[in-house]
Amino acid sequence: MDPPLVNDSSFSPANPSSYTLSEIWPFPVNDAVRSGLRLAVNSSPSDKDVSTAAAAAAAAEESTVTDLTAGWGGRKARALNSEEDESSKMVSLSSSGNEVKDSGDKKRKLCGSESGNGDGSMRAEGETSSGGGSKATEQKNKPEPPKDYIHVRARRGQATDRHSLAERARREKISEKMTALQDIIPGCNKIIGKALVLDEIINYIQSLQRQVEFLSMKLEVVNSGPSTGPTIGVFPTGDLGTLPIDLHRNIYEQQQEGNESRGSHPEWLHMQVDGSFNRTT
Amino acid sequence: MASANKPINTDVPEKDVFALHFLQSLSNLRRQNTFNSPEKTNDRVKKIKKVAYVSMARAAGGTNRLWSRALLRRAAKENNKVVRFPRRKKRVTCLRRRRSNRRDPVEEEEAERLRNLVPGGGGMEISKLMEETAHYIKCLSMQVKVMQCLVDGLAPK
């Protein structure tokens, strides 16, 4: 047997399924594609060559002709590597389709269907499945920008997009803070729904501010009365020990929490003040 | 009362600190000559209110909190004083605004109302705004209680 001419088909015997270029690829071929094909067909399925093939194929992606090559090369690599790369950490374009270890059922199904297609005749299905392959590749590649090396397990139906992850984390932070706010404000535990809780919060703040204003009016009246002159003048040094004794005690023994009244001054505080008092209005 | 019930830090100011500040400023106010004029009640009320907020802001952690900083700055502007605050390291959110879309229409309109209420809420993201709101609510309620005690205590018996 005289040795065959050196052409592309001479590289095929290392491959279990023998392909010749003319059989597979009826389209005119440029150099990048040929080198990509050669590498994919020739080599043993190692990671590096797959990525090189995919990279070479990806480099020639501009023209429509080579688009199918990318799909084909990528698909073949996927079929080969799907059983092996259980724990691979590669993030490059081709092998991102090979992540069988991810928990998304969606992805596993796609992988399975593609390796199932590997047996049929290449040419007819080359176009459709490569169309599907490139789309699947795109689907898996779009979430992962090429520089992202963090592998995150995505829940089913949720993207592992970096942006949506950040968005999700942010939303969780906000809801955590909202629950913390709910604990502070009395009567907010029973309300469900962000908008209603926020309404409650706003009402509460407004009522507190109105109370402050009302109390300041009261204080003003109290201050300007002539009878309280000597009391206030006692603390030029700012020493709290010189306060009248029951006022001192009231401030320190204030125990009650929460404030049920809205908009009007709180009634419950009057229970703490001992002695009789006149409500100045 | 001063209990931090969540992992995020909200250290509530102590009552006596606030009471101290407040009473000091009240006595300062009283010493002013213009204070005892019988007519301008509204002005006095406003002054007292301002004094209350300022002393609360000072007691509540000074310039560590965004809302207290905004309050103090606002008060100082009314007095035509220029206040300088030391620049913090984590100086806020221009970076964040670019990236994530924080415009959720339902949240945003509530957040708008919150921002109007809480001082200094203009430039904050929602999560930060919530923290500030929580602290602000705690301080406000403390302020209300102390003022009520004062009113009751100082009222003529």
Side-chain angles (χ1 to χ4, degrees), chain A residues 224-238:
Chain A
S224 64
S227 56
T228 59
T231 325
I232 297 223
V234 173
F235 14 89
T237 58

Side-chain angles (χ1 to χ4, degrees), chain A residues 135-194:
Chain A
K135 197 170 62 161
T137 317
E138 263 179 33
Q139 264 178 9
K140 293 169 199 170
N141 284 341
K142 234 189 332 189
E144 299 187 23
K147 297 197 184 70
D148 188 17
Y149 281 89
I150 303 174
H151 271 258
V152 182
R153 285 195 169 249
R155 287 184 283 215
R156 189 196 171 117
Q158 293 193 1
T160 52
D161 195 357
R162 191 196 283 175
H163 287 304
S164 50
L165 273 181
E167 184 75 23
R168 217 187 307 156
R170 189 191 131 249
R171 254 183 266 142
E172 280 171 10
K173 233 181 14 167
I174 287 184
S175 59
E176 163 193 334
K177 301 224 169 121
M178 189 103 61
T179 48
L181 270 175
Q182 269 184 317
D183 293 334
I184 295 180
I185 300 176
C188 241
N189 294 330
K190 301 152 195 150
I191 302 183
I192 306 179
K194 268 198 301 192

Side-chain angles (χ1 to χ4, degrees), chain A residues 208-209 212, chain B residues 53 56 136-144:
Chain A
L208 279 180
Q209 283 177 342
V212 167
Chain B
Y53 277 117
M56 174 172 83
Y136 185 60
I137 287 179
K138 279 192 191 168
C139 292
L140 262 186
S141 49
M142 182 212 56
Q143 185 185 25
V144 161

Side-chain angles (χ1 to χ4, degrees), chain B residues 16-147:
Chain B
D16 34 358
V17 178
F18 168 65
L20 171 64
H21 282 292
F22 192 40
L23 289 170
Q24 261 185 325
S25 36
L26 268 185
S27 61
N28 281 340
L29 265 186
R30 251 188 100 71
R31 284 205 226 110
Q32 287 177 12
N33 292 332
T34 61
F35 198 67
N36 287 328
S37 63
E39 289 94 20
K40 311 175 200 162
T41 316
N42 278 342
D43 288 348
R44 279 184 283 166
V45 169
K46 278 193 205 143
K47 273 192 195 169
I48 289 189
K49 193 168 70 152
K50 194 177 68 165
V51 152
Y53 277 117
V54 165
S55 49
M56 174 172 83
R58 270 200 294 177
T63 54
N64 286 338
R65 286 277 156 185
L66 274 172
W67 61 264
S68 59
R69 232 184 290 178
L71 252 186
L72 288 174
R73 191 174 281 162
R74 203 192 292 173
K77 219 193 308 182
E78 288 174 14
N79 296 341
N80 294 331
K81 280 190 231 170
V82 177
V83 184
R84 287 186 190 280
F85 294 116
R87 279 238 149 189
R88 302 279 147 183
K89 271 190 291 189
K90 300 183 186 180
R91 194 57 179 175
V92 192
T93 61
C94 343
L95 270 172
R96 286 235 191 136
R97 269 190 214 211
R98 260 185 296 157
R99 288 194 44 191
S100 57
N101 50 342
R102 56 192 182 106
R103 301 285 165 194
D104 190 5
V106 176
E107 282 182 5
E108 265 309 309
E109 91 185 34
E110 313 277 343
E112 196 57 38
R113 285 201 274 170
L114 256 186
R115 285 200 188 115
N116 290 338
L117 278 182
V118 176
M124 279 194 268
E125 233 191 346
I126 292 187
S127 56
K128 193 72 180 163
L129 182 67
M130 296 245 172
E131 249 187 74
E132 297 289 319
T133 309
H135 194 251
Y136 185 60
I137 287 179
K138 279 192 191 168
C139 292
L140 262 186
S141 49
M142 182 212 56
Q143 185 185 25
V144 161
K145 287 178 198 167
V146 170
M147 280 175 75

